Amino acid sequence: MAILHGGWLTRIPVQTPVKESHIPGKGDAPVCLGGVLLWGETWRRLTPEMLQIGTLTGDDQPSFGIQPHPYAMTQVELLEFLRSLGQKGLLRLPGLNSLAESVEVPVKRSRKSQGKVAPDVFATNLEEVGWHQSAIALPSSLVAGDFTDPATAVIMPQLFGAETEQEVVLHPWQITGIWLPADEAVPFLNSLPLGSIDTADPFMSGDLRFWSHIARWSLDLLARSKFLPGLTVELREDLAAAIATWEPLLDSGIDQLRFLQFGERMPGVCRMYQQGGSEKIRSWIDIPIEPQTLLQDFLRKTLDAQIRMVAKESPLPETSPNRNHPAKGTAIASPVREWLQALGHKNRLVEASDLESLQTSLQTWTAPLQLHRAENLFRTCLYLHSPQPGQKDWQLEYFLQAADNEEFLIDAPTIWNNPVERLLYQGRAIAQPQETFLMGLGLASRLYSPIETSLQAPRPQFCTLSPVQAYDFLKTAAWRLQDSGIGVVVPPSLASQGGWANRLGLKIQAETAKLDKGKRLGLQSLLNFRWELTIGGQSISKEEFDRLVALNTPLVEINNEWVELRPQDIRAAQTFFASRKDQPALSLEDALRISTGDTQMIEKLPVVSFEASGALEDLINTLSGKRTLEAIPAPKTFRGELRPYQARGVGWLSFLEQWSLGACLADDMGLGKTIQLIAFLLHLQEQNALERPTLLVCPTSVLGNWEREVKKFGPSLKVLQHHGDGRPKGKDFAKAVKGKHLVITSYALVQRDLKDLQTVSWQGMVLDEAQNIKNPEAKQSQAVRQIEARFRIALTGTPVENRLSELWSILDFLNPGYLGPKNFFQRRFATPIERYGDTSSLQTLKSLVQPFILRRLKTDKDIIQDLPEKQEMAVFCGLSEEQASLYQHTVEKSLQDIEASEGIQRRGIILALLTKLKQICNHPDLFLKESQSSALSTQHSFQDRSGKLKRLEEMVEELMAEGDRALIFTQFAEWGKLLQTHLERQFGREVLFLYGSTSKKQREEMVDRFQHDPQGPRLFILSLKAGGVGLNLTRANHVFHYDRWWNPAVENQATDRVFRIGQTRNVQVHKFVCSGTLEEKIHDLIESKKALAEQVVGAGENWLTELNTDQLRDLLLLDRSAIIGEE
Amino acid sequence: MADSYQQPSREWWAQRWIEVLESFGWIRRLARARVYAREGNVKSLEFKGHKVIARVQGTAPEPYKVTLSLDPFTDEQWGYVVESMSQQALFSAKLLSGEMPVSIEKVFTENGLSLFPFTKFDIHSRCSCPDPANPCKHIGAVYYLLGDRFSEDPFVLFQLRGRTKEQILEALRQSRSQGKEEKSEDGSQKSEEVIAAHLRSRVSLDPNQFWQYTEQLEPSLVVIAPPPSSETVLDVLGAIPLKPDIAEDGSMVQTSSQAAMEYLKSVYQTVSQQAILAGMNVGESTE
């Protein structure tokens, strides 16, 4: 719906409304301080007339020659938006709440007046915010007229993220937003979430996100003390003024690289803010500011603002400590004192004489770092070579290294042989190679004295280091040199200080243990394994190990490779040798963790190599995706066809089942998870492996659907629906379950009938819509964990890997303990990933869970080709108790009336009855209207009173999580209205509704918005009559027929709103049917005799009126087993 | 590891300058001159070539004009010095990285020269005051201020002998290059092409990268951790080379510089701690 922008401006933009006291240059405002201009963008319908020059320009800003950005949020909208984001904890802006509250009244009023706020009423409140105006040049396109004729040209800016095929030009637009000066901008930027794994609902535009990352970098610079105090001269009101500043110090290799990379990745929009400062907004566009210039400005000003705040709080020692004469201590002499004071002062001015000499001092002081001020493409590099065979000493060789490519090295002889102004070397130009080289050596010798001796030669190329010096170089000097901008290269075996590959470690070979007959493997099964001690990747014997330890040096050579022997590793290894009689236990779970790269320590020793053999190798290769899964051919008893990806899915389920590993099948909605599960059970049956019943738990709303699907696709499976008031209990339950293959029950009943369910020895346990256990503390989540079963399967259509607490809950059900306790998981994965966007934690987590989750998207290339362009599916829903009793009552009453009447009157009663029954199936409230709401209506939530609505909600939640959009058709306009209100409340998002009385203009606007607004509503309810024809709504890829018009032609016409030219994705059509009611019977009739039905039903619903009363009774009578009942 | 490297004492040449002066035996007069200098009577001090020209406020309404110079070395003498310097990369390296090499004096003595004045006859000074004594207290005051200058910028010494640091570096460069200006390792590639490729011109706007920033946060920025060592750039640079303060007993001390460094160190420490703290609180909701 809305997008928040934040641009970095190097100068304060124009304040609005312009206040006399804030005219730039007057007063003490430091004019050159930068900050963030926060503004919002939201879709609204625009017509060329509205964009005609002058119409959008308010009377209060006549001086600015450019038009306001037509999509920009108004002040009220922006405050509302910021406040809603603040409430969700997505950002923090001090003082926002009080400001937003003060404009609350206007918000309500503004809705009535359609977004137009009378400025005089709210000016006082809004003024406090500090509104500023700037111009921004944005890609815009011509919607009418001609560029060459400004009088006719109508130009429109490109909406954030919208795609356009039109030719675009850069055009300036005026934007109004909240100004956050550097010191306020930093805490704001730091409060924004850094991660973005769940991109379903982005609210930040690229510019804001980019600056929030840079703000993170600036925090890092502060933490690492990468800044320097300075003294510069600045022009203020035409006079030179001495200014005390804090400057970023980007001398280390990593910061130089970041500077280059961030500069390259800066989104273009960041550069389009017009940096005119507080001058009048101009109507021409600046050449886009250079990314590096803008970046530098941001870092300088945000660092300065942050350090200044600390300096302000740190009192300057008035007298230097002089213990002998405390009273006579000497004050810090002028002008140093004034300079230090100004470093903590907001106006930064240094008012003192003799500043030139201080400036000279500071220049001399920082001279060793001068080389990093310029954009340096090359740096001096020290390359550590291990000793030559038979030698003891190490060598540190000198090079020049490219800042952006560590491997681009120029050796000293080349440099010395080329005393030139500019050296061309392998396609690169190096300015002043010798000077750059010497300068670096000068700094390096200051930081690491062994280098200095070598510099007494005229053309030094290296220095030699003793083993002790080499160790010291690796341990301490290397970091300091790198941190000061000197490149350092060390032998690869010594390079990864944190890595394990070259440390003392264990090499493990494992295989599965032989099993007793009838026993199965599980995560906790112990493996047989052999181990060897290794160092630097080489196996060593106990004798060799002892010899190395006896050398008593930190660096040892193994087969020409030098590695570090750490004291703590030696101790661990000695302990390990001492206790090797009782071998440590290694479980299948450990093996999985080691092979996915999560845990690598056994008894405090790193596992540097892991080899699996036999069946274990197969398992690990398959789980890690190195070996592809075999598709399983559809079992003979399977009535239907498996698409290729479904056959693979069945293969995957049965593979994990063999190892007793829990599986989560998380395919997109509509890819046939149900079918895959049925085929999997049939496969077990075919293998004679289906010995005991499987328990399937699903939401009440799909109980009936499941049973129906099982009967349809796997009639050889004996099913029991455990549900309803009459369900068997205790011994009766045990008896009822006997001989069944599948027992289906609901989440609510698992919790209620837990004791009975625990008495059965289940072969498997399946959770459908497993997101129902996303809250691990909920009772039903606890209950499903307490039922034992040999295999466990979870089915879900939500992108489970992006919802970390849900992921944990499901995985913990499938493979208990695998992801650790909840609080550990939160600390280790959820917090780093969700809060900081930590990609390495995310990577580890993904490889940990990847073996147990199979998720195919309908957009995957190899899935798309298996799918038809249009998939039609009937969705069977139950009735609530309330619906059932209304239905039954209505049928009985009407049948009596029908029997007592004939002719037109009879027809009329039948048609009226049909309508009533449809209404009841939709929702009791639609039938009862408001006045007659039954007693039940107050006891239950709105959605619990209708089986269809419940199911719709579940499916809509899933499709929105997948980022899809849907049309919902109904033939009852009243229902559309009720549904719109309900869905808006449930999902907290806008839902569109189009029906007969929607005006043409509103209609166009809705369609336009649904089709073009990137953040627009995702749900569109249409009445079948009003929305069935003429509209183009190809952005939706789901169509719901909430109620049915028993005429396929009418439904198809509606479906075609989506399925027409411009649709690039597969479309899913969901036809809702209430089980046990006339809806189901007619649906079956149509399905079974499609051709005939079209003739019979073709004209509409009149054929029903021709049936005799008995036929009607059969058709209308409620099948009580379809009632969902109470939970 | 605070002692892993030693910063050269920046004051040594200032001290050396004063020592040389005081060794000539003008103790009492110089003591008065020092006070005179501290009181700010030297109104201006500038270099004109190798000469120092200063204006010192005396008893007369108009400041006296003081000129002071050492014998500059001839081009030939400088030639020898540069030749000697070029024998050790250390000199170029240190001078380029803004440091005065500690062994600089040796280079001059090897060539029979002295960077510092050797006898009082090496120093030429004149003052427009009526005092016939030389050095008068105005000249003495300028001596002292020059000492301050040395601690602020040691390369002033070269200037008194007729060369700036830049001139010396240029001479060293020329002695290495012997006139070559550009070279390509294979000689065939046209230099313009290479330069065009590597001197980045204006960064163009990429329409595909206009709105979105999809990069994930760099892993090394996920955790804002303290650096592995408590040393900061302040330790690398050492104390700020300020002109010395005069202690109670008249000796020169670096109290201002020390106090300033202590102050800066405390600011650096607090800034680092606060940044680490702020880094941990990112994205926390408003509660």
Side-chain angles (χ1 to χ4, degrees):
Chain A
M1 300 260 281
I3 277 290
L4 190 61
H5 285 280
W8 178 260
L9 300 185
T10 59
R11 301 160 70 188
I12 300 182
V14 189
Q15 188 159 32
T16 174
V18 182
K19 288 181 194 162
E20 269 314 301
S21 62
H22 282 83
I23 285 177
K26 300 266 159 39
D28 57 355
V31 284
C32 66
L33 285 183
V36 166
L37 185 69
L38 214 53
W39 62 289
E41 204 180 331
T42 186
W43 189 88
R44 50 175 68 96
R45 186 172 164 80
L46 297 176
T47 58
E49 297 76 53
M50 291 162 73
L51 288 164
Q52 216 97 59
I53 292 180
T55 40
L56 268 181
T57 314
D59 295 337
D60 47 340
Q61 350 260 300
S63 53
F64 306 132
I66 57 173
Q67 286 177 280
H69 189 299
Y71 291 124
M73 285 185 187
T74 64
Q75 299 181 351
V76 172
E77 283 171 338
L78 180 61
L79 286 177
E80 260 300 291
F81 184 46
L82 286 171
R83 191 165 66 140
S84 76
L85 292 172
Q87 277 167 350
K88 288 183 203 156
L90 293 170
L91 55 80
R92 199 165 37 208
L93 197 57
L96 177 69
N97 277 343
S98 59
L99 283 167
E101 269 158 32
S102 63
V103 293
E104 200 151 21
V105 184
V107 172
K108 279 174 192 150
R109 264 188 243 169
S110 72
R111 282 208 183 118
K112 267 182 214 160
S113 57
Q114 296 200 332
K116 276 187 189 163
V117 185
D120 51 344
V121 181
F122 314 112
T124 43
N125 286 332
L126 292 172
E127 241 176 68
E128 290 164 23
V129 182
W131 297 96
H132 285 72
Q133 277 179 349
S134 177
I136 184 167
L138 294 174
S140 310
S141 47
L142 193 70
V143 289
D146 196 334
F147 274 130
T148 54
D149 179 9
T152 62
V154 179
I155 296 167
M156 196 159 92
Q158 186 185 7
L159 189 68
F160 170 83
E163 286 166 22
T164 177
E165 277 157 21
Q166 274 171 301
E167 194 184 335
V168 293
V169 294
L170 284 173
H171 185 80
W173 298 97
Q174 177 197 308
I175 48 170
T176 305
I178 296 174
W179 173 249
L180 300 174
D183 53 339
E184 291 171 37
V186 172
F188 168 75
L189 290 173
N190 284 339
S191 76
L192 297 168
L194 291 156
S196 68
I197 51 165
D198 197 359
T199 48
D201 207 4
F203 71 94
M204 261 194 272
S205 101
D207 46 3
L208 194 56
R209 210 172 115 74
F210 177 79
W211 292 122
S212 80
H213 282 203
I214 305 300
R216 187 81 184 162
W217 180 27
S218 95
L219 264 190
D220 183 63
L221 290 171
L222 291 177
R224 295 189 293 123
S225 299
K226 285 296 181 185
F227 53 87
L228 276 176
L231 180 66
T232 55
V233 174
E234 193 177 276
L235 270 185
R236 284 201 181 179
E237 294 161 41
D238 300 329
L239 284 175
I243 305 287
T245 59
W246 294 97
E247 302 280 339
L249 177 64
L250 306 181
D251 56 349
S252 72
I254 185 160
D255 290 318
Q256 290 188 335
L257 195 63
R258 282 174 185 159
F259 189 68
L260 284 175
Q261 286 178 341
F262 277 127
E264 281 165 12
R265 294 170 184 171
M266 181 185 288
V269 61
C270 294
R271 305 166 58 195
M272 303 317 293
Y273 291 87
Q274 304 296 295
Q275 308 284 354
S278 45
E279 294 156 27
K280 208 170 95 175
I281 292 178
R282 300 163 306 196
S283 55
W284 65 81
I285 302 174
D286 298 332
I287 289 171
I289 188 166
E290 288 299 288
Q292 315 247 321
T293 313
L294 199 56
L295 201 51
Q296 184 87 39
D297 190 74
F298 178 92
L299 287 176
R300 273 183 56 215
K301 288 170 181 171
T302 55
L303 282 182
D304 186 286
Q306 293 174 91
I307 304 164
R308 199 166 291 278
M309 276 190 277
V310 173
K312 197 176 151 202
E313 300 301 316
S314 316
L316 191 63
E318 272 309 309
T319 58
S320 67
N322 186 335
R323 249 174 257 164
N324 299 332
H325 308 279
K328 291 182 185 173
T330 325
I332 295 180
S334 178
V336 185
R337 186 178 61 239
E338 287 80 2
W339 172 63
L340 290 176
Q341 278 165 345
L343 283 170
H345 238 280
K346 205 165 184 180
N347 77 4
R348 312 185 299 156
L349 275 177
V350 191
E351 283 168 300
S353 56
D354 202 17
L355 287 170
E356 291 86 1
S357 79
L358 176 60
Q359 210 166 11
T360 314
S361 291
L362 291 175
Q363 267 164 13
T364 308
W365 185 49
T366 58
L369 304 170
Q370 286 302 315
L371 66 156
H372 303 295
R373 294 293 168 85
E375 194 184 291
N376 247 324
L377 297 172
F378 288 86
R379 60 176 171 233
T380 302
C381 171
L382 309 174
Y383 199 119
L384 184 68
H385 294 282
S386 48
Q388 295 292 315
Q391 304 276 317
K392 271 184 107 176
D393 282 343
W394 296 60
Q395 211 179 58
L396 199 57
E397 199 184 347
Y398 310 148
F399 289 89
L400 271 181
Q401 183 183 43
D404 59 346
N405 179 2
E406 285 188 357
E407 295 183 358
F408 192 95
L409 293 170
I410 307 159
D411 61 14
T414 308
I415 300 165
W416 292 127
N417 287 333
N418 288 287
V420 291
E421 186 66 10
R422 192 168 49 212
L423 172 65
L424 301 175
Y425 186 77
Q426 293 181 2
R428 288 196 187 216
I430 301 118
Q432 303 198 318
Q434 292 193 347
E435 278 73 14
T436 311
F437 186 55
L438 282 163
M439 207 185 285
L441 288 175
L443 177 62
S445 67
R446 183 188 182 90
L447 299 170
Y448 187 61
S449 51
I451 293 174
E452 191 162 318
T453 327
S454 74
L455 299 187
Q456 284 167 5
R459 297 173 165 208
Q461 298 178 11
F462 60 87
C463 69
T464 46
L465 302 178
S466 70
V468 175
Q469 281 177 317
Y471 187 69
D472 176 57
F473 177 82
L474 282 166
K475 278 292 168 190
T476 57
W479 175 78
R480 168 54 71 200
L481 287 159
Q482 281 176 313
D483 194 54
S484 302
I486 307 289
V488 172
V489 180
V490 302
S493 59
L494 291 166
S496 58
Q497 287 289 305
W500 279 315
N502 298 299
R503 274 170 60 180
L504 198 58
L506 291 176
K507 187 173 177 178
I508 287 184
Q509 282 180 308
E511 57 183 19
T512 46
K514 284 234 168 67
L515 285 178
D516 298 335
K517 232 191 163 181
K519 273 209 167 177
R520 290 170 67 92
L521 275 169
L523 271 184
Q524 303 313 322
S525 306
L526 293 185
L527 303 172
N528 290 335
F529 77 105
R530 289 188 300 137
W531 59 268
E532 284 172 284
L533 197 64
T534 66
I535 185 164
Q538 320 270 343
S539 302
I540 52 167
S541 64
K542 174 80 166 69
E543 290 67 39
E544 279 174 297
F545 172 70
D546 290 340
R547 186 184 64 82
L548 289 175
V549 172
L551 287 175
N552 197 22
T553 57
L555 299 174
V556 294
E557 190 187 11
I558 310 281
N559 296 351
N560 304 326
E561 286 236 54
W562 284 82
V563 290
E564 186 188 348
L565 206 51
R566 300 184 187 197
Q568 71 265 34
D569 286 353
I570 296 176
R571 274 195 302 279
Q574 280 164 342
T575 319
F576 192 80
F577 275 118
S579 66
R580 70 167 156 173
K581 272 168 218 151
D582 30 73
Q583 276 218 350
L586 186 74
S587 68
L588 180 57
E589 181 175 338
D590 294 331
L592 278 180
R593 285 179 187 288
I594 292 167
S595 60
T596 53
D598 177 42
T599 316
Q600 289 120 338
M601 298 291 267
I602 289 184
E603 313 257 308
K604 292 187 189 161
L605 279 176
V607 177
V608 295
S609 144
F610 183 83
E611 274 174 40
S613 52
L616 184 66
E617 188 184 0
D618 276 358
L619 172 73
I620 285 173
N621 282 346
T622 309
L623 288 182
S624 58
K626 278 184 203 140
R627 212 183 69 158
T628 47
L629 267 175
E630 307 262 319
I632 281 191
K636 285 196 186 80
T637 44
F638 182 77
R639 296 274 179 86
E641 248 180 84
L642 285 181
R643 300 203 170 99
Y645 71 85
Q646 291 173 330
R648 287 196 299 275
V650 177
W652 181 77
L653 286 174
S654 81
F655 175 81
L656 287 184
E657 188 271 334
Q658 283 162 26
W659 289 85
S660 303
L661 298 175
C664 176
L665 184 60
D667 287 345
D668 255 359
M669 186 158 129
L671 293 191
K673 293 186 283 287
T674 309
I675 284 181
Q676 293 176 65
L677 186 83
I678 293 169
F680 161 68
L681 291 175
L682 290 172
H683 172 72
L684 288 183
Q685 195 179 36
E686 205 172 60
Q687 309 280 311
N688 288 323
L690 200 57
E691 294 151 354
R692 286 174 280 156
T694 290
L695 178 65
L696 186 138
V697 186
C698 63
T700 316
S701 56
V702 292
L703 276 170
N705 214 37
W706 261 106
E707 190 175 350
R708 218 183 141 93
E709 300 278 278
V710 173
K711 283 180 174 157
K712 182 172 165 193
F713 292 102
S716 64
L717 293 170
K718 287 181 197 148
V719 195
L720 172 73
Q721 210 187 106
H722 180 64
H723 183 258
D725 289 342
R727 64 186 187 272
K729 302 221 166 125
K731 277 181 189 166
D732 291 341
F733 175 69
K735 216 179 278 170
V737 167
K738 216 169 175 199
K740 295 288 187 298
H741 296 113
L742 189 64
V743 176
I744 306 175
T745 192
S746 69
Y747 282 100
L749 287 187
V750 167
Q751 182 193 329
R752 202 169 302 164
D753 293 356
L754 181 61
K755 284 229 168 88
D756 282 347
L757 294 169
Q758 279 176 316
T759 59
V760 179
S761 159
W762 302 102
Q763 177 149 0
M765 175 142 174
V766 182
L767 300 187
D768 182 29
E769 309 282 349
Q771 65 270 27
N772 276 286
I773 62 159
K774 66 180 165 204
N775 174 8
E777 271 76 49
K779 280 184 183 159
Q780 59 194 34
S781 316
Q782 306 269 350
V784 294
R785 283 187 173 74
Q786 290 171 36
I787 298 172
E788 304 223 336
R790 196 194 281 168
F791 70 81
R792 293 181 168 201
I793 293 176
L795 307 176
T796 177
T798 56
V800 65
E801 70 272 25
N802 289 349
R803 304 169 167 207
L804 298 185
S805 80
E806 191 172 323
L807 176 69
W808 180 85
S809 198
I810 292 177
L811 256 286
D812 198 60
F813 159 76
L814 294 173
N815 298 303
Y818 183 67
L819 288 181
K822 181 79 200 269
N823 53 6
F824 164 82
F825 178 79
Q826 191 67 30
R827 211 173 49 239
R828 169 67 187 87
F829 294 110
T831 307
I833 294 170
E834 285 170 348
R835 207 179 278 171
Y836 306 117
D838 179 8
T839 43
S840 70
S841 293
L842 183 64
Q843 215 41 56
T844 307
L845 178 61
K846 278 199 168 151
S847 60
L848 262 180
V849 301
Q850 172 266 333
F852 305 110
I853 299 178
L854 183 64
R855 173 164 172 77
R856 276 87 52 99
L857 307 178
K858 51 186 175 295
T859 45
D860 288 350
K861 260 190 204 140
D862 51 338
I863 303 296
I864 258 182
Q865 63 191 20
D866 288 350
L867 282 179
E869 288 171 327
K870 182 164 82 175
Q871 264 177 290
E872 297 211 11
M873 287 158 283
V875 179
F876 293 91
C877 311
L879 287 183
S880 71
E881 285 281 5
E882 186 187 0
Q883 282 176 304
S885 78
L886 285 173
Y887 187 98
Q888 218 156 13
H889 180 79
T890 311
V891 168
E892 271 155 27
K893 189 169 168 289
S894 302
L895 281 176
Q896 288 165 15
D897 295 345
I898 291 166
E899 221 159 16
S901 58
E902 48 185 47
I904 294 176
Q905 193 194 6
R906 184 177 186 273
R907 263 211 284 272
I909 297 173
I910 292 176
L911 286 176
L913 173 64
L914 287 178
T915 303
K916 281 180 197 161
L917 295 182
K918 278 187 190 173
Q919 287 175 331
I920 294 168
C921 287
N922 275 9
H923 195 281
D925 270 2
L926 180 61
F927 172 71
L928 296 167
K929 310 290 183 272
E930 279 165 42
S931 55
Q932 304 167 295
S933 268
S934 68
L936 284 167
S937 64
T938 52
Q939 288 168 18
H940 295 271
S941 62
F942 189 74
Q943 66 271 27
D944 280 342
R945 293 169 55 210
S946 158
K948 272 189 185 176
L949 179 58
K950 197 115 205 273
R951 186 67 198 130
L952 179 77
E953 247 182 69
E954 287 162 1
M955 293 179 78
V956 163
E957 190 179 348
E958 210 169 306
L959 74 89
M960 294 222 288
E962 287 167 16
D964 289 347
R965 289 177 161 80
L967 304 186
I968 303 169
F969 284 103
T970 175
Q971 51 190 283
F972 301 102
E974 309 103 279
W975 176 237
K977 216 171 247 173
L978 286 171
L979 191 60
Q980 180 191 30
T981 322
H982 178 72
L983 291 178
E984 279 186 342
R985 197 174 52 230
Q986 289 299 102
F987 295 105
R989 299 164 148 275
E990 194 181 349
V991 175
L992 298 173
F993 175 42
L994 185 152
Y995 62 113
S997 7
T998 311
S999 73
K1000 183 169 175 284
K1001 188 174 161 262
Q1002 284 173 319
R1003 202 180 268 242
E1004 279 169 10
E1005 185 170 327
M1006 281 183 204
V1007 173
D1008 202 9
R1009 217 164 139 213
F1010 187 78
Q1011 287 290 89
H1012 300 296
D1013 180 3
Q1015 276 81 43
R1018 307 254 197 101
L1019 299 178
F1020 199 161
I1021 303 170
L1022 303 107
S1023 85
L1024 199 61
K1025 276 184 202 135
V1029 286
L1031 303 174
N1032 187 348
L1033 295 165
T1034 49
R1035 216 165 167 210
N1037 57 336
H1038 289 269
V1039 177
F1040 289 89
H1041 292 284
Y1042 190 87
D1043 40 48
R1044 309 294 297 278
W1045 188 259
W1046 302 120
N1047 183 338
V1050 175
E1051 282 181 350
N1052 289 343
Q1053 219 169 31
T1055 299
D1056 285 348
R1057 298 309 101 224
V1058 165
F1059 189 71
R1060 59 196 296 169
I1061 296 166
Q1063 180 57 267
T1064 50
R1065 291 165 303 172
N1066 303 51
V1067 175
Q1068 294 182 16
V1069 184
H1070 313 279
K1071 297 178 171 178
F1072 275 35
V1073 176
C1074 269
S1075 308
T1077 69
L1078 90 156
E1079 289 194 335
E1080 183 179 11
K1081 284 167 193 152
I1082 299 179
H1083 175 82
D1084 288 350
L1085 194 73
I1086 296 176
E1087 290 294 308
S1088 60
K1089 310 174 189 167
K1090 225 162 192 164
L1092 182 66
E1094 263 172 54
Q1095 287 168 23
V1096 175
V1097 185
E1101 294 174 340
N1102 283 332
W1103 60 279
L1104 285 164
T1105 61
E1106 307 301 329
L1107 298 175
N1108 69 34
T1109 310
D1110 281 343
Q1111 286 172 313
L1112 260 182
R1113 190 185 298 279
D1114 282 349
L1115 195 66
L1116 299 179
L1117 218 55
L1118 182 65
D1119 174 2
R1120 290 226 35 119
S1121 71
I1123 302 167
I1124 293 177
E1126 293 193 32
E1127 290 187 359
Chain B
M1 278 287 142
D3 297 329
S4 60
Y5 49 87
Q6 281 289 322
Q7 296 315 326
S9 157
R10 276 220 179 69
E11 300 87 54
W12 75 267
W13 34 82
Q15 290 281 10
R16 183 93 179 79
W17 172 252
I18 303 297
E19 273 166 32
V20 169
L21 284 176
E22 293 181 346
S23 72
F24 302 154
W26 299 318
I27 309 284
R28 280 191 53 210
R29 209 175 295 168
L30 287 172
R32 265 186 292 145
R34 176 189 290 171
V35 176
Y36 210 63
R38 292 299 153 211
E39 287 168 353
N41 287 307
V42 180
K43 296 297 168 198
S44 71
L45 190 154
E46 57 188 67
F47 279 87
K48 219 167 198 170
H50 70 281
K51 275 189 183 154
V52 179
I53 295 166
R55 289 154 60 80
V56 185
Q57 188 65 55
T59 41
E62 278 296 304
Y64 301 121
K65 186 179 167 190
V66 175
T67 53
L68 191 147
S69 64
L70 305 180
D71 284 329
F73 299 145
T74 63
D75 288 351
E76 193 187 6
Q77 286 170 321
W78 271 114
Y80 293 135
V81 169
V82 166
E83 173 64 25
S84 295
M85 282 193 190
S86 68
Q87 293 309 308
Q88 291 191 20
L90 183 74
F91 290 104
S92 298
K94 291 286 184 187
L95 289 176
L96 278 163
S97 65
E99 250 183 75
M100 180 61 102
V102 183
S103 49
I104 191 74
E105 226 184 327
K106 240 178 87 193
V107 179
F108 288 89
T109 49
E110 271 172 11
N111 289 289
L113 299 166
S114 172
L115 185 56
F116 290 97
F118 199 62
T119 70
K120 55 183 142 187
F121 306 110
D122 292 348
I123 307 171
H124 312 287
S125 54
R126 220 170 51 207
C127 180
S128 63
C129 77
D131 186 349
N134 192 334
C136 63
K137 66 176 175 182
H138 311 115
I139 294 173
V142 174
Y143 282 150
Y144 275 101
L145 273 196
L146 266 179
D148 288 353
R149 276 293 171 93
F150 295 150
S151 52
E152 286 160 12
D153 178 8
F155 303 106
V156 166
L157 265 173
F158 291 154
Q159 211 165 337
L160 282 171
R161 291 299 191 182
R163 287 283 191 278
T164 61
K165 181 179 86 171
E166 287 67 33
Q167 286 171 322
I168 295 169
L169 282 170
E170 178 59 26
L172 280 166
R173 209 171 72 81
Q174 284 191 356
S175 89
R176 282 195 305 267
S177 75
Q178 300 130 16
K180 294 190 231 173
E181 271 316 304
E182 186 168 301
K183 194 185 166 183
S184 167
E185 101 246 43
D186 53 6
S188 64
Q189 208 164 9
K190 273 193 191 154
S191 57
E192 285 78 12
E193 285 172 28
V194 181
I195 291 147
H198 287 279
L199 285 179
R200 206 170 299 163
S201 57
R202 288 195 165 272
V203 180
S204 59
L205 273 178
D206 179 0
N208 298 318
Q209 206 197 336
F210 188 83
W211 292 109
Q212 306 282 9
Y213 182 70
T214 50
E215 301 285 339
Q216 289 295 333
L217 187 68
E218 197 187 304
S220 57
L221 289 176
V222 167
V223 178
I224 303 288
S229 156
S230 61
E231 282 171 15
T232 67
V233 65
L234 296 180
D235 299 286
V236 172
L237 292 177
I240 304 175
L242 297 171
K243 65 183 172 204
D245 305 289
I246 305 298
E248 295 280 292
D249 59 1
S251 64
M252 287 190 292
V253 285
Q254 287 287 349
T255 40
S256 284
S257 180
Q258 278 168 19
M261 289 308 283
E262 269 161 40
Y263 174 72
L264 289 176
K265 271 182 193 169
S266 82
V267 170
Y268 271 61
Q269 214 171 10
T270 318
V271 165
S272 175
Q273 285 163 355
Q274 289 195 359
I276 292 162
L277 227 57
M280 288 192 289
N281 291 332
V282 160
E284 241 157 42
S285 58
T286 40
E287 306 105 70

